């Protein structure tokens, strides 16, 4: 592989992961917490970036060193564990894809005035189209990059029109008035939780970036992915801070739309439509690709026809939303279970990193092991808390 092709691939994997993280929920979380914490939310973003990098480096490095997808590593560590992990990933990916399709429908509604259901059908067809071309992997990478740059560029414009208090934001990022642990955990879960962190790791593996000699490239791609997602998070935070600082209350039902519209009027509202559509449709692509990557190694039939399984995954997500809407109870339950995926997967990777039968003579850095273990403990606790809070809502 020549240098130019490798750089294109590393950038593609980074953007696939980043745009998988930047979905409708990402926009809502960022604006909601900015309204709650104001400039101190900068500290939450800073801490979450450090945790995200620690989690992602651990996972991507072990996938590359073992030259196996996460589910095969888990099964080798404890027979059957890979099937459990895959079931959680696929269920979470499907549930969140229904939400992503809903977000894409909202975006087309804002832009063209068509019903969210019609917009969802159109968006589902666009996402399916990515996988129907011959070189689907390259098209997927380019699709994520183009829409990723578009989202960041438009958000930067809105941020400047919102005129945020940059000095205050810089100070509070280092010395916050309050530290909100729930916000930190929510951001970590929204960036590297569930299927998201595996999007880029599995993409690199599929493209042949693996083995000890590739670790430098894997590190660069993993950190770049968090960097791209974080750039979007920071600009959106500053845009929201500029609006909140003017005393404008955000609409609880759609706080991100309020930020864009308040900052840039009707043009801002249309920009919101573009951003949420791009965020949603790239997340649809990332969720479908990654979810199917968790079952490809279980069957030669799935491996051979994996593109059609991805197409089916997107089609089911779209049809469920169009015919049923968002099945709230299922989404609450799966969303609660989703919080357990990162600690389970990261825990598996850390243990696997020290098994010669999986990684050979590779020596995993001690700081990564310790950092990863701390993330597993904290995210396990918060995952169980979220699950215990989510289950009673099913019976309300």
């Amino acid at each position: 592989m020549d240098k130019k092709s490798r750089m294109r691939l590393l950038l593609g994997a980074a953007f696939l992961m980043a745009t998988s993280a930047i979905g409708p929920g990402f926009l809502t979380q960022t604006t909601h917490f900015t309204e709650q914490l104001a400039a101190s939310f900068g500290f939450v973003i800073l801490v979450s970036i450090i945790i995200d990098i620690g989690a992602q480096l651990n996972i991507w490095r072990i996938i590359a060193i073992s030259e196996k997808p996460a589910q095969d590593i888990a099964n080798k560590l404890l027979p059957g564990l890979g099937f459990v992990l895959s079931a959680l990933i696929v269920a979470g990916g499907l549930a969140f894809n229904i939400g992503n399709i809903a977000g894409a429908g909202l975006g087309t509604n804002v832009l063209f005035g068509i019903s969210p259901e019609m917009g969802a059908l159109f968006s589902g067809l666009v996402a399916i189209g990515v996988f129907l071309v011959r070189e689907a992997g390259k098209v997927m990478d380019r699709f994520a990059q183009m829409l990723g740059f578009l989202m960041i560029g438009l958000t930067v414009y809105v941020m400047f029109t919102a005129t945020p208090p940059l000095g205050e934001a810089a100070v509070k990022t280092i010395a916050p008035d309050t530290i909100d642990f729930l916000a930190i955990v929510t951001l970590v879960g929204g960036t590297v939780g569930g299927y998201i962190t595996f999007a880029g790791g599995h993409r690199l593996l599929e493209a042949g970036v693996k083995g000890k000699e590739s670790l430098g490239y894997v590190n660069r791609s993993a950190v770049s992915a968090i960097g791209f997602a974080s750039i979007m998070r920071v600009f959106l935070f500053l845009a929201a801070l500029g609006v909140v600082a003017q005393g404008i209350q955000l609409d609880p039902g759609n706080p991100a739309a309020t930020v864009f519209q308040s900052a840039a009027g009707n043009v801002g509202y249309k920009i919101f439509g573009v951003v949420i559509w791009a965020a949603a449709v790239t997340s649809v692509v990332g969720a479908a690709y990654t979810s199917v990557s968790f079952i490809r190694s279980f069957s030669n039939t799935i491996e051979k026809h994996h593109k059609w399984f991805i197409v089916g995954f997107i089609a089911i997500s779209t049809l469920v939303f169009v015919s049923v809407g968002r099945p709230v109870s299922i989404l609450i339950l799966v969303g609660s279970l989703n919080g357990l995926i990162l600690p389970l997967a990261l825990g598996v990777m850390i243990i696997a990193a020290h098994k010669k039968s999986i990684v050979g003579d590779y020596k995993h850095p001690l700081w990564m092991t310790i950092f990863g273990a701390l993330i597993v403990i904290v995210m396990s606790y918060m995952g169980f808390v979220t699950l215990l809070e989510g289950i009673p809502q099913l019976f309300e």
Side-chain angles (χ1 to χ4, degrees):
M1 189 186 296
D2 63 70
K3 194 172 181 181
K4 191 176 178 183
S5 297
R6 183 182 281 114
M7 286 310 297
R8 196 182 297 127
L9 177 62
L10 298 179
L11 194 63
F15 264 99
L16 180 65
M17 179 271 151
T19 54
S20 292
I22 304 167
F26 179 102
L27 304 180
T28 302
Q29 286 169 3
T30 305
T31 47
H32 168 73
F33 282 124
T34 303
E35 184 175 37
Q36 280 195 334
L37 302 173
S40 296
F41 185 53
F43 176 79
V44 171
I45 294 174
L46 179 63
V47 173
S48 69
I49 290 170
I50 295 167
I51 295 172
D52 292 342
I53 290 171
Q56 184 135 299
L57 275 174
N58 270 295
I59 290 171
W60 285 28
R61 283 173 67 95
I62 303 308
I63 288 173
I65 282 290
S66 67
E67 302 186 10
K68 292 179 175 63
Q71 69 273 19
D72 289 359
I73 297 171
N75 269 338
K76 196 155 188 185
L77 199 61
L78 180 66
L81 186 59
F83 297 115
V84 173
L85 181 60
S86 295
L88 286 171
I89 291 279
V90 172
L94 190 60
F96 284 109
N97 242 12
I98 296 167
N100 291 332
I101 285 288
L106 173 62
T108 52
N109 174 255
V110 169
L111 286 169
F112 309 115
I114 61 175
S115 73
E117 289 77 17
M118 283 300 296
L121 275 175
F122 163 74
S123 305
L125 289 172
V126 170
I128 285 170
V130 170
F131 296 100
L132 294 182
V133 294
R134 179 170 290 179
E135 293 190 314
K138 286 183 181 177
V139 173
M140 177 176 68
D141 292 347
R142 192 60 56 86
F143 185 74
Q145 286 173 51
M146 281 174 23
L147 291 186
F149 280 123
L150 177 67
M151 284 188 283
I152 291 170
L154 291 173
T155 306
V156 168
Y157 167 75
V158 171
M159 184 268 287
F160 279 115
T161 62
T163 58
L166 297 175
E168 185 188 1
V171 170
K172 301 294 188 194
T173 296
I174 307 300
D177 293 331
T178 179
I179 298 173
D180 190 324
F181 290 104
L182 177 61
I184 293 170
V185 172
T186 303
L187 257 60
V188 171
T191 309
V192 292
Y195 67 87
I196 298 168
T197 187
F198 297 100
H202 280 185
R203 175 71 187 116
L204 290 178
L205 182 67
E206 182 191 35
V209 181
K210 57 189 178 183
K212 201 179 288 188
E213 67 280 1
S214 296
L215 280 183
Y217 299 116
V218 171
N219 290 346
R220 202 178 311 160
S221 189
V223 174
S224 297
I226 300 299
F228 293 135
S230 301
I231 286 168
M232 179 68 179
R233 178 93 71 187
V234 167
F235 285 135
L236 185 57
F237 153 62
L238 291 173
L241 183 63
V243 170
V244 169
Q246 295 170 41
I248 298 169
Q249 279 201 320
L250 305 187
D251 175 8
N254 199 348
T258 312
V259 168
F260 282 77
Q261 192 165 21
S262 299
N266 284 334
V267 171
Y269 188 56
K270 293 297 182 184
I271 288 174
F272 165 73
V274 174
V275 169
I276 195 169
W277 184 83
V281 81
T282 50
S283 293
V284 168
V285 168
Y289 169 80
T290 312
S291 297
V292 173
S293 78
F294 267 85
I295 58 173
R296 279 174 65 169
S297 62
F298 296 156
S299 159
N300 288 332
T301 304
I302 299 174
E303 178 61 46
K304 188 178 177 183
H305 303 289
H306 69 272
K307 281 208 297 191
W308 292 108
F309 278 86
I310 295 171
V311 167
F313 194 91
I314 296 170
I316 291 168
S317 309
T318 305
L319 292 173
V320 168
F321 172 69
V322 171
S323 58
V324 181
R326 298 183 66 181
V328 176
S329 297
I330 294 172
L331 289 174
I332 290 170
L333 178 60
V334 175
S336 302
L337 287 170
N338 203 56
L340 302 176
I341 293 175
L342 178 62
L344 172 63
L346 183 54
V348 164
M349 293 297 166
I350 290 168
I351 297 168
H354 301 279
K355 294 282 184 183
K356 275 195 172 182
S357 60
I358 297 174
V359 298
D361 60 357
Y362 165 73
K363 293 281 185 285
H364 198 53
L366 180 63
W367 74 267
M368 279 194 195
T369 301
I370 294 169
F371 195 31
L374 288 172
I375 296 169
V376 169
I377 292 165
V378 173
M379 295 303 289
S380 294
Y381 170 73
M382 288 309 301
F384 279 112
V385 168
T386 306
L387 186 61
L388 292 173
E389 287 175 354
I391 288 173
Q393 292 179 45
L394 298 177
F395 303 102
E396 288 178 2

